[in-house]
């Protein structure tokens, strides 16, 4: 329970804490791992040498992300009418689906909820409780895909020492969440929507481009030259809304300390590396730990890990199988 | 200040570590770094909030009110309740509904109708945009706590000419989205006593209209439907609603008795008259969101 609360705190911006007590089983595992240093190094090199760099989860994720967005596009262009609307609100084969954060903004700004809005919000709530909260970010959000590509550019520039990465405090995202909520209540406008690259991109794809794409372009430039993944990490309230919902989700990436060599490859590729702090030596207190709710379930760490210490798992189900 | 430690911090602390006490002392360098990070984060917050409030700029300026789709709530309520999904855009058979751009501030992604380019001609027969709206920004019936402005409520359900012979000839529309007005009587061909021959808006015009005499259900390009009229009555002829506009005799500027279009109470502000008016710019226009004044 206390870890659950800690993970939520970390999602809101707190730094991950070292565990005060490590279970005996983990102590034993750690002892066995480091008992024979030569064997440890040998095993480590062996795992590395036999690790095929896989893009399994990345490819699956890109396929899903493109499929969802293209389904929106084709539903309108080709008039298939399967998934009508945009990412903020839509109808899939007649079922209302409404983005949780957009719904929240509208409810706060308008202060009135009609039945369809409620139904759509509830459907999406259930969907993401089941699928895993922040998986919306990496599996659906079109901005995520663009930012993922430009992030590579950013990292190349950093490597060549042409730019430096400027980190902000992760708590700013929580502050923004509150501020955008407050602004919606006070002004009566969905203020966040004017900035949301998710909505802007989704509408641009479906209904055609506009000047608003210039804002998305500026954001990407900011991320390339100033701060890695700044929008997703420090600003976007959509991520936090889904993260909060995702705390309930049974689908997670779990960390198995037994297989880990603590080299940190996973943290280098991760969009939200604070959820992977448990992989640092001495940070895991249980043999298996579900990553925190801020995890977007993108699977980059799963692909990267040479030893299979990180896996997609459904809570409770893996024990049954 | 909290801080994420990268796996191998670049330029690791060279400052000597103080002996461990209960609370680890923070090195000067680290404290400075934290302070810088805090200030930068503050800057980011102020910057983004400032940018988001730029949405006020178009509102405070004298931007002309836009024509909203049928059933739209009053402007402020409409802007706050619209979720910017475009489902109304998708169901419109004549693509009359457009989504606003970032220059519209808080109205980004909000639907509007540019009547001169493409008016709402009720080809759908049922104002389906209202049905498609998931948040009630477009609605058949306003919630009770929202007041209905004087002159916005229609006296009776509008009768669609195309459905006149049907069992249910009316549109499920209770409030008007605007009112037509003869803005430039001097440019009106009827007032000048002129007829009209050819395409209403030229051959390049892309707008569509449903012509009952062509196909009751399928709109065709206005450019494909030329006219040959002894006296121009396009606005009256193509108005989709019964009794919303008619030609009445008037004494013209030169003292001759001529005809002029007169807008009547059933006008809902759909914009068809503005779209088909052959004068350039249109002699008759829609005053968006305007109430009916007797």
């Amino acid at each position: 329970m206390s870890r659950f609360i800690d993970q939520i705190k970390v999602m809101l911006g707190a730094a991950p804490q070292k565990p005060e007590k490590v279970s005996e089983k983990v102590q034993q595992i750690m002892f066995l791992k480091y008992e024979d240093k030569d064997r440890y190094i040998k095993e480590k090199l062996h795992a590395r040498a036999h690790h095929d760099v896989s893009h399994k989860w990345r490819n699956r994720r890109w396929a899903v992300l493109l499929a969802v967005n293209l389904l929106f596009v084709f539903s309108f262009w080709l008039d298939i009418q399967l998934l009508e609307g945009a990412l903020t609100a839509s109808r899939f084969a007649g079922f209302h689906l409404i983005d949780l954060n957009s719904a929240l903004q509208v409810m706060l700004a308008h202060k009135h909820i009609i039945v369809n809005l409620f139904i759509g919000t509830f459907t999406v709530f259930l969907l993401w409780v089941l699928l895993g909260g922040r998986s919306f970010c990496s599996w659906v959000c079109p901005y995520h895909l663009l930012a993922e590509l430009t992030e590579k550019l950013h990292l190349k520039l950093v490597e060549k020492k042409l730019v430096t990465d400027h980190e902000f405090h992760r708590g700013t995202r929580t502050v923004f969440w509150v501020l955008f909520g407050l602004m919606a209540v006070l002004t009566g406008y969905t203020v966040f929507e004017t900035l949301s690259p998710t909505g802007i991109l989704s509408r641009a794809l479906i209904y055609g481009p506009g000047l608003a794409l210039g804002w998305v372009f500026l954001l990407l430039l900011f991320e390339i030259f100033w701060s890695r993944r700044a929008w997703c990490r420090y600003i976007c309230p959509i991520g936090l809304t889904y993260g909060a919902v995702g705390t309930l989700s049974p689908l997670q990436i779990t960390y198995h300390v037994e297989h880990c060599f603590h080299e940190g490859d996973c943290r280098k590729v991760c969009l939200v590396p604070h959820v992977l702090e448990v992989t640092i030596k001495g940070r895991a207190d249980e043999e298996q730990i579900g990553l925190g709710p801020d995890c977007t379930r993108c699977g980059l760490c799963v692909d990267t890990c040479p030893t299979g210490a990180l896996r997609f798992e459904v809570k409770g189900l893996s024990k049954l199988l | 200040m909290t801080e994420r430690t990268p796996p191998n911090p670049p330029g690791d602390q060279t400052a000597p570590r103080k002996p461990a006490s209960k609370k680890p002392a923070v090195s000067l360098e680290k404290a400075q770094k934290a302070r810088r990070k805090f200030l930068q984060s503050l800057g980011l917050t102020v910057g983004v909030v400032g940018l988001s409030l730029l949405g006020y700029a178009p509102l405070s300026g004298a931007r002309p009110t836009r024509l909203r789709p049928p059933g739209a709530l009053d402007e402020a309520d409409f802007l706050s309740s619209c979720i910017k999904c475009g489902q109304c855009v998708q169901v419109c058979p004549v693509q009359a509904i457009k989504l606003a751009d970032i220059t519209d501030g808080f109205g980004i992604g909000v639907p509007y109708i540019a009547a001169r380019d493409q008016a709402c001609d009720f080809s759908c027969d049922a104002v389906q945009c209202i049905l498609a709206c998931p948040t009630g920004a477009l609605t058949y019936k306003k919630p009770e706590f929202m007041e209905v402005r004087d002159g916005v409520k229609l006296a009776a359900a509008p009768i669609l000419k195309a459905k006149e012979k049907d069992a249910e000839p009316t549109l499920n529309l209770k409030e008007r989205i605007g009112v037509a007005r003869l803005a430039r009587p001097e440019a009106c061909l009827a007032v000048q006593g002129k007829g009209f021959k050819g395409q209403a808006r030229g051959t390049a015009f892309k707008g569509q209209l449903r012509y009952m005499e062509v196909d009751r259900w399928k709109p065709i390009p206005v450019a494909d439907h030329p006219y040959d009229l002894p006296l121009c009555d396009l606005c009256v002829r193509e108005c989709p609603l019964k009794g919303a506009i008619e030609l009445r005799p008037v004494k013209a500027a030169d003292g001759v008795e001529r005809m002029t279009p007169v807008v009547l109470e059933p006008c809902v502000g759909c914009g068809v008259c503005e779209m088909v008016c052959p004068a350039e710019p249109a002699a008759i226009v829609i005053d968006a969101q305007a109430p009916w004044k007797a």
Side-chain angles (χ1 to χ4, degrees):
Chain A
M1 193 62 202
S2 84
R3 172 158 64 232
F4 185 69
I5 291 166
D6 280 348
Q7 284 182 334
I8 290 177
K9 277 191 200 156
V10 169
M11 175 172 72
L12 297 178
Q17 298 296 317
K18 263 188 194 163
E20 281 172 13
K21 232 170 71 188
V22 174
S23 77
E24 263 175 47
K25 198 83 188 270
V26 174
Q27 283 178 15
Q28 214 177 350
I29 289 171
M30 296 308 268
F31 177 75
L32 284 174
K33 256 203 255 184
Y34 296 107
E35 191 188 26
D36 182 349
K37 210 173 179 188
D38 290 340
R39 195 210 55 191
Y40 175 74
I41 292 171
K42 226 163 111 186
E43 270 180 18
K44 196 158 103 171
L45 292 174
H46 179 85
R48 199 161 273 279
H50 286 78
H51 177 59
D52 294 322
V53 178
S54 142
H55 293 300
K56 185 172 98 175
W57 285 105
R58 187 201 68 185
N59 292 345
R60 286 178 183 180
R61 182 164 53 82
W62 283 2
V64 170
L65 193 149
L66 288 174
V68 170
N69 284 286
L70 286 178
L71 193 57
F72 271 113
V73 172
F74 290 139
S75 288
F76 184 41
W77 285 11
L78 308 178
D79 208 20
I80 314 173
Q81 297 181 4
L82 201 55
L83 189 57
E84 291 167 280
L87 273 181
T88 52
S90 57
R91 232 181 308 181
F92 179 70
F95 281 100
H96 280 287
L97 299 171
I98 296 176
D99 169 64
L100 298 182
N101 200 71
S102 304
L104 186 73
Q105 293 289 319
V106 163
M107 289 173 191
L108 292 176
H110 190 43
K111 299 151 191 100
H112 180 65
I113 303 164
I114 68 160
V115 179
N116 282 347
L117 182 63
F118 181 78
I119 293 174
T121 311
F122 189 68
T123 328
V124 170
F125 180 81
L126 273 188
L127 184 75
W128 293 115
V129 164
L130 288 177
L131 290 178
R134 275 201 77 194
S135 31
F136 170 85
C137 296
S138 58
W139 290 75
V140 178
C141 177
Y143 184 75
H144 182 99
L145 184 61
L146 279 187
E148 195 173 347
L149 299 174
T150 51
E151 188 177 13
K152 285 197 168 71
L153 192 60
H154 171 82
L155 291 177
K156 257 197 197 120
L157 292 175
V158 170
E159 201 186 330
K160 287 186 179 157
K161 299 220 158 87
L162 290 170
V163 301
T164 34
D165 183 25
H166 296 78
E167 274 189 41
F168 298 97
H169 192 283
R170 283 192 305 102
T172 45
R173 195 181 54 163
T174 311
V175 174
F176 277 124
W177 195 92
V178 175
L179 282 180
F180 281 123
L182 270 180
M183 283 195 278
V185 173
L186 295 178
T187 63
Y189 298 110
T190 51
V191 176
F192 170 67
E193 208 53 48
T194 54
L195 295 183
S196 166
T198 309
I200 290 173
L201 273 172
S202 180
R203 280 191 298 270
L205 279 170
I206 301 162
Y207 306 112
L211 286 176
L213 282 181
W215 163 244
V216 178
F217 184 67
L218 285 179
L219 273 182
L220 289 172
L221 285 183
F222 183 75
E223 293 187 353
I224 293 171
F225 294 108
W226 189 261
S227 178
R228 181 179 178 186
R229 267 303 176 103
W231 180 267
C232 303
R233 286 187 178 187
Y234 310 116
I235 301 170
C236 187
I238 302 176
L240 191 53
T241 305
Y242 279 105
V245 170
T247 55
L248 303 168
S249 151
L251 182 76
Q252 278 185 331
I253 290 179
T254 39
Y255 168 66
H256 300 252
V257 69
E258 197 177 344
H259 305 282
C260 180
F261 287 113
H262 312 291
E263 291 172 282
D265 289 1
C266 53
R267 292 195 300 279
K268 282 182 204 138
V269 295
C270 184
L271 159 69
V272 278
H274 48 275
V275 301
L276 284 169
E277 296 265 299
V278 280
T279 63
I280 295 172
K281 204 160 90 186
R283 290 296 180 95
D285 54 350
E286 299 284 339
E287 311 156 67
Q288 280 181 33
I289 294 175
L291 298 187
D294 217 15
C295 167
T296 69
R297 280 91 161 151
C298 71
L300 283 177
C301 60
V302 179
D303 279 343
T304 305
C305 180
T307 58
L310 291 155
R311 298 168 208 166
F312 271 103
E313 266 170 7
V314 179
K315 243 187 257 174
L317 205 68
S318 35
K319 272 180 197 154
L320 286 176
L321 292 176
Chain B
M1 280 313 300
T2 43
E3 185 136 26
R4 192 180 67 79
T5 346
N8 285 312
D12 209 348
Q13 290 85 26
T14 40
R17 261 174 207 269
K18 287 198 174 155
S21 61
K22 262 184 195 152
K23 234 186 177 181
V26 182
S27 71
L28 195 66
E29 192 187 348
K30 223 172 171 181
Q32 271 178 345
K33 218 169 138 189
R35 188 167 159 270
R36 215 173 304 138
K37 195 162 148 185
F38 175 75
L39 288 176
Q40 278 179 355
S41 302
L42 196 69
L44 181 80
T45 312
V46 172
V48 172
V49 168
L51 277 173
S52 66
L53 289 177
L54 274 183
Y56 266 116
L59 291 171
S60 55
R63 169 175 292 282
T65 325
R66 282 194 143 154
L67 190 64
R68 300 300 179 192
L73 300 177
D74 284 349
E75 187 72 358
D77 286 317
F78 182 66
L79 287 182
S80 66
S81 59
C82 173
I83 203 161
K84 292 102 181 160
C85 66
Q87 289 187 64
C88 53
V89 176
Q90 302 209 354
V91 294
C92 181
V94 289
Q95 292 96 44
I97 305 176
K98 306 268 180 293
L99 294 184
D101 207 342
I102 202 163
T103 42
D104 293 270
F106 294 128
I108 182 176
V110 167
Y112 69 92
I113 293 175
R116 184 69 174 154
D117 298 333
Q118 177 60 61
C120 165
D121 69 345
F122 302 110
S123 308
C124 59
D125 270 4
V127 275
Q128 280 160 8
C129 43
I130 298 180
L131 200 64
C133 180
T135 61
L138 308 177
T139 180
Y140 291 123
K141 194 174 182 297
K142 261 188 193 169
E144 265 159 32
F145 65 88
M146 273 180 213
E147 60 149 358
V148 179
R149 284 181 292 137
D150 286 343
V152 165
K153 195 171 172 17
L154 290 153
I159 295 171
L160 204 56
K161 283 184 196 162
K163 295 210 291 184
E164 215 179 336
K165 293 189 185 85
D166 295 5
E168 184 54 66
T170 55
L171 272 181
N172 196 356
L173 191 61
K174 306 215 167 43
E175 294 180 14
R176 52 174 58 88
I177 52 176
V179 177
R181 172 172 57 91
L182 188 62
R184 305 194 308 131
E186 72 284 359
C188 176
L189 295 178
V191 174
Q192 292 169 14
K194 286 182 185 160
F196 181 77
K197 196 170 187 306
Q199 276 92 347
R201 296 288 305 284
T203 45
F205 182 64
K206 296 229 169 59
Q208 306 170 63
L209 193 58
R210 177 175 60 166
Y211 293 92
M212 265 170 292
E213 59 273 32
V214 179
D215 188 329
R216 216 203 100 164
W217 299 107
K218 211 169 153 277
I220 59 163
V222 175
D224 290 356
H225 194 84
Y227 300 86
D228 187 2
L229 308 167
L231 179 70
C232 177
D233 63 347
L234 281 181
C235 50
V236 176
R237 178 180 294 259
E238 303 307 352
C239 176
L241 296 176
K242 194 181 176 186
I245 186 170
E246 61 183 36
L247 281 188
R248 281 186 188 168
V250 69
K251 206 162 231 161
D254 53 7
V256 187
E257 182 126 312
R258 299 260 173 72
M259 300 298 264
T260 185
V262 175
V263 179
L264 303 168
E265 197 278 336
C267 173
V268 302
C270 70
V272 169
C273 52
E274 183 178 332
M275 175 170 78
V276 296
C277 180
E280 198 64 58
I284 190 164
V285 295
I286 301 295
D287 288 336
Q289 302 178 30
W292 166 256
K293 285 184 198 117

